[in-house]
Amino acid sequence: MFEYTLSNGVIVSPGKKTYTGNLRIKGDKIVSPDSCEKDKSVRIDLNKKSYVYPSLINTHDHLQGNYRPPVGPKKGEFYLTWLPWDKDLKASKTFQERSKLTREDLYAFSGYKCLFSGVTTVNDHFPHEINKHLLPTLPIRAIQEYCLSHETTSYDLKWGDGIEIEHKRAVKNKWPFITHLCEGFDQEAMDSIDILEKINILDKNCLFVHCIAFNDEDIKKVAKAGASISWCGHSNMFMFNVTAKIRKMIKAGVNVTIGTDSSATGSANLLAEMKYDRELYRKLYGEDLCAKKIFEMVTVNAAKAFWMQDKIGALNEGMLGDVLVLKAKHDDPHENLVNAEMKDIELLILAGKPIYGEMRFLDVFNNAKIKQNDLPRGYTKIKVGNRTVFVLGDPAGLYNEARIKIGFKKKLDYMPFEPDTKITMKDSGKEEV
């Protein structure tokens, strides 16, 4: 069982005053720093030079679709609904290239898209029959306790067992019911809230994605119901040249979260999405969306939308040890997060288990009785910038194999390294290039 303390870190958690202190992990949970058993204690001194956050949560992605470059409308044009985009995608060079990879490859890349941006929890908006065997194989947590539909229009993709059945199941199990909503401007899309109201599906279980065609009355109804929104600003602007009325949603008290959508239309990852959405807000409204609010959208708000607020999204005792440690480059901890790059991640922890980090954090693996600078089983080394880091799994091997299948040296902007660095897999005991 992992048992260690991150000491002298600047602790940043929603709803609490930032302070310099210790964060104690035992097993998969955060515990009181005073609960330390001295003979078992491993202490990593952050020397007041690192910010410690709850790791990030992405409320909307399609893990099979995370391939680049993006596919969108012709220059100077935009879509009326998502449907013509789907046709353009399937006719694109991106899709032809992507089809050379297996579904397992694409999901593995998506897991690392999350990991390398500090995300440990994501929703893969696909039906369970597509992803149920793949989600447990990822290096991060893709939630499996959710119900869904594709959307509410007559031309939706008919995911799940039907809107009413899926929603009823979500209510019974206290899971989120997740659906695209108002993703377009034909009459059916714009009537989405009315359609849901008629079948009594508008409540706190609902997590609605996109919502670009909401009117003021729709926003009031969603706020009153306690439903959540996943804002995907980059994808919205790329496809439709408009996004959700996000300022009105925030002022109305809607629980707003942030999603990337797939990188076929959206940002490279959640770090990029936070920056894009903030700049978009400034352009739309002539005012700033404060960094603290964005921090809440990707932590505590997102946890609430997933019905997991007692487990993730904050650094409270008894919650899962999902932790992101970032280099301190700004005096303000929230600005530090929103302006962070992939190269600024020093350590990422999922349920107490370090899954990515600088080599100086290898001490947390002491219970595994490994030698200094060696790796525990199932980890590899890669080079990110000028740092050697450890990572769960073999992303370099994945990247190399994908390039062989595709037929050229493909670059994916959410993979922050070149896979020609030597790595060592302890499972095989062999070096691979």
Side-chain angles (χ1 to χ4, degrees), residues 59 176-181 193 196 202-211 214 219 221-231 246 249 253-258 297 300-307 309:
T59 53
F177 168 75
I178 306 173
T179 185
H180 299 108
L181 207 66
I193 286 293
L196 291 181
L202 184 56
D203 57 24
K204 61 186 179 181
N205 288 83
C206 296
L207 170 56
F208 299 137
V209 182
H210 300 310
C211 309
F214 271 16
I219 293 171
K221 289 176 180 178
V222 168
K224 184 178 180 181
S228 300
I229 299 295
S230 181
W231 179 30
I246 206 69
M249 290 180 179
V254 175
N255 184 52
V256 176
T257 72
I258 292 177
M297 290 178 180
V300 64
N301 291 13
K304 180 180 179 182
F306 284 166
W307 282 67
Q309 61 267 40

Side-chain angles (χ1 to χ4, degrees), residues 183-198:
E183 189 183 8
F185 292 94
D186 67 352
Q187 196 59 52
E188 280 192 79
M190 293 191 291
D191 287 345
S192 293
I193 286 293
D194 292 337
I195 291 169
L196 291 181
E197 273 193 312
K198 288 176 182 176

Side-chain angles (χ1 to χ4, degrees), residues 78-107:
F78 296 95
Y79 298 123
L80 181 67
T81 70
W82 65 271
L83 191 57
W85 169 81
D86 190 61
K87 294 176 182 177
D88 286 349
L89 172 69
K90 290 178 174 138
S92 71
K93 182 180 177 182
T94 295
F95 188 80
Q96 293 171 9
E97 223 177 80
R98 193 185 91 179
S99 298
K100 296 178 181 180
L101 302 180
T102 66
R103 182 175 285 171
E104 288 78 9
D105 293 334
L106 294 167
Y107 270 79

Side-chain angles (χ1 to χ4, degrees), residues 102-277:
T102 66
R103 182 175 285 171
E104 288 78 9
D105 293 334
L106 294 167
Y107 270 79
F109 271 119
S110 292
Y112 287 112
K113 167 189 168 177
C114 293
L115 182 150
F116 289 127
S117 61
V119 171
T120 57
T121 304
V122 66
N123 174 243
D124 174 38
H125 195 197
F126 275 121
H128 294 283
E129 57 264 28
I130 289 176
N131 63 24
K132 64 182 178 181
H133 299 301
L134 293 166
L135 300 187
T137 69
L138 302 183
I140 51 87
R141 176 190 302 112
I143 65 168
Q144 299 183 64
E145 296 179 337
Y146 67 94
C147 298
L148 87 165
S149 67
H150 180 252
E151 57 165 22
T152 63
T153 63
S154 61
Y155 51 84
D156 80 343
L157 297 179
K158 313 303 178 190
W159 288 349
D161 296 325
I163 292 177
E164 291 171 283
I165 294 172
E166 291 280 332
H167 179 263
K168 184 177 180 180
R169 186 181 297 139
V171 172
K172 178 182 177 181
N173 291 297
K174 295 185 178 180
W175 294 349
F177 168 75
I178 306 173
T179 185
H180 299 108
L181 207 66
C182 289
E183 189 183 8
F185 292 94
D186 67 352
Q187 196 59 52
E188 280 192 79
M190 293 191 291
D191 287 345
S192 293
I193 286 293
D194 292 337
I195 291 169
L196 291 181
E197 273 193 312
K198 288 176 182 176
I199 54 177
N200 295 315
I201 297 177
L202 184 56
D203 57 24
K204 61 186 179 181
N205 288 83
C206 296
L207 170 56
F208 299 137
V209 182
H210 300 310
C211 309
I212 60 175
F214 271 16
N215 59 35
D216 291 355
E217 189 61 29
D218 293 334
I219 293 171
K220 289 178 183 176
K221 289 176 180 178
V222 168
K224 184 178 180 181
S228 300
I229 299 295
S230 181
W231 179 30
C232 307
H234 187 285
S235 179
N236 297 161
M237 297 302 294
F238 181 71
M239 292 178 65
F240 303 103
N241 199 34
V242 67
T243 192
K245 297 178 176 68
I246 206 69
R247 182 169 66 169
K248 288 185 176 181
M249 290 180 179
I250 293 170
K251 288 185 176 180
V254 175
N255 184 52
V256 176
T257 72
I258 292 177
T260 57
D261 211 344
S262 81
S263 57
T265 59
S267 295
N269 57 33
L270 194 61
L271 293 178
E273 185 70 31
M274 288 191 291
K275 296 178 188 65
Y276 182 93
D277 289 348

Side-chain angles (χ1 to χ4, degrees), residues 321-336:
D322 288 5
V323 182
L324 170 64
V325 180
L326 287 180
K327 185 184 301 181
K329 297 170 67 176
H330 291 259
D331 291 338
D332 183 282
H334 304 109
E335 290 288 348
N336 193 72

